[in-house]
Amino acid sequence: MAENKVVIITGASSGIGEATAKLLAKNGAKLVLAARREDRLKALKEEIEQLGGQAVYQVTDVTKTEQLEQLAKLAQETYGSVDVLVNNAGLMPLSQLHKNKQDEWDTMVDVNIKGVLYGIGAVLPYMRKQKSGHIINISSVAGHEVMPSSAVYSGTKFAVRAITEGLRKEESVDNNIRATIISPGAVDTELKDHITDEDIKQGIGNMQAIDADAIARAINYAVSEPDDVSINEILIRPTSQK
Ligand code: NDP
């Protein structure tokens, strides 16, 4: 059950992270919320508390490893353990390679891959000591298939799946740490707002997308299974997505 688990969520200021925080808090988890936009985190913490849940937040940039270390410390000092990390923060500025948008490539690698690694690095010392823990990494259907314009984004999401599987193989047997990949298809969030290539943005805008709550429910399922059950991966598409 999610009840009483201490759950860190990166990218909690909107979309999938926010929906997951609300659902897990409703189910009794103790939340540690992280993202860069403080106003959003503060409002979410207040909303959770008004509904009887527990949450703290820390303004966090996942490209800064020391900020993730501080986040894990905040979870430990506030609630006494670090049970679950949801590595959810991510960006998707899609474009074709010939556009040579190197700044966007750098940002995707920094946030989507290195941010996930820094999160893992920050929580593993606590989880290994506890001999229990659960790391949930958000990949994508784009971590299974590549489309024109998704070469770099897909590269980062393929990497997230490889990292999660490596983590599972290294930490499950000896340290009782579970690792889960969540791979959503099109979800209605702010993710597409960062696309600077107008042609691509319009194409994406026409796709039917499901609500972020659908992904939150999948994450809640993985968290809520008994400790001896490791949900390795869940793929979730809108029914209308091929
Ligand atoms: P949103 O844009 O709504 O959320 C992205 C979150 O990431 C925000 O909370 C943002 O917060 C945070 N973030 C971005 N950069 C950083 C950073 N440097 N440090 C800390 N936080 C950061 O999109 P989604 O909810 O859709 O995205 C969540 C995850 O789901 C991503 O990993 C995405 O790739 C994945 N995904 C989404 C799909 C979709 O269709 N929406 C499909 C498949 C996967 P802030 O700006 O406040 O820092």
Side-chain angles (χ1 to χ4, degrees):
M1 298 300 290
E3 198 171 4
N4 287 324
K5 283 194 172 155
V6 178
V7 182
I8 301 171
I9 302 180
T10 67
S13 59
S14 63
I16 293 169
E18 182 183 354
T20 303
K22 286 182 188 168
L23 181 59
L24 293 180
K26 189 174 145 216
N27 292 340
K30 299 167 185 169
L31 273 298
V32 181
L33 311 168
R36 294 166 303 173
R37 286 171 293 179
E38 183 165 18
D39 53 336
R40 299 275 197 107
L41 294 177
K42 190 165 178 283
L44 178 59
K45 170 187 153 68
E46 286 168 4
E47 188 181 340
I48 287 171
E49 286 175 345
Q50 272 162 17
L51 294 167
Q54 295 183 69
V56 291
Y57 74 84
Q58 179 191 292
V59 175
T60 307
D61 181 339
V62 297
T63 66
K64 311 270 188 257
T65 192
E66 63 281 0
Q67 294 188 15
L68 284 156
E69 284 165 9
Q70 189 57 44
L71 189 67
K73 197 166 165 228
L74 174 68
Q76 178 70 37
E77 287 179 357
T78 309
Y79 297 125
S81 63
V82 182
D83 301 322
V84 182
L85 167 66
V86 184
N87 264 322
N88 164 74
L91 292 166
M92 187 189 69
L94 300 175
S95 65
Q96 295 204 0
L97 292 168
H98 73 87
K99 300 266 173 91
N100 200 23
K101 290 181 180 276
Q102 295 188 9
D103 288 350
E104 294 184 354
W105 300 345
D106 286 346
T107 307
M108 277 191 278
V109 169
D110 286 348
V111 176
N112 299 4
I113 301 180
K114 289 165 82 175
V116 166
L117 287 169
Y118 294 161
I120 292 169
V123 300
L124 269 187
Y126 297 94
M127 292 181 175
R128 285 170 68 94
K129 202 167 163 198
Q130 291 166 184
K131 291 266 180 242
S132 75
H134 190 172
I135 298 175
I136 298 177
N137 294 330
I138 310 301
S139 177
S140 175
V141 165
H144 289 259
E145 51 192 65
V146 187
M147 306 295 285
S149 83
S150 85
V152 179
Y153 179 68
S154 284
T156 66
K157 293 300 185 179
F158 273 71
V160 168
R161 290 183 52 235
I163 290 163
T164 316
E165 182 61 357
L167 172 71
R168 188 183 70 75
K169 291 202 164 152
E170 289 177 14
E171 297 296 337
S172 57
V173 176
D174 292 340
N175 291 314
N176 190 35
I177 295 169
R178 301 188 287 174
T180 301
I181 304 160
I182 302 285
S183 292
V187 184
D188 187 15
T189 67
E190 297 170 20
L191 195 69
K192 55 189 179 304
D193 299 354
H194 310 290
I195 300 172
T196 57
D197 187 324
E198 285 304 324
D199 297 337
I200 306 290
K201 197 169 186 168
Q202 280 179 7
I204 293 276
N206 295 333
M207 274 179 88
Q208 282 197 341
I210 48 177
D211 200 84
D213 287 340
I215 313 306
R217 292 195 297 274
I219 294 170
N220 179 62
Y221 164 65
V223 169
S224 302
E225 283 297 287
D227 279 357
D228 62 344
V229 179
S230 176
I231 304 300
N232 299 157
E233 178 159 18
I234 306 177
L235 262 159
I236 313 134
R237 288 182 175 85
T239 309
S240 59
Q241 183 176 343
K242 279 190 190 144

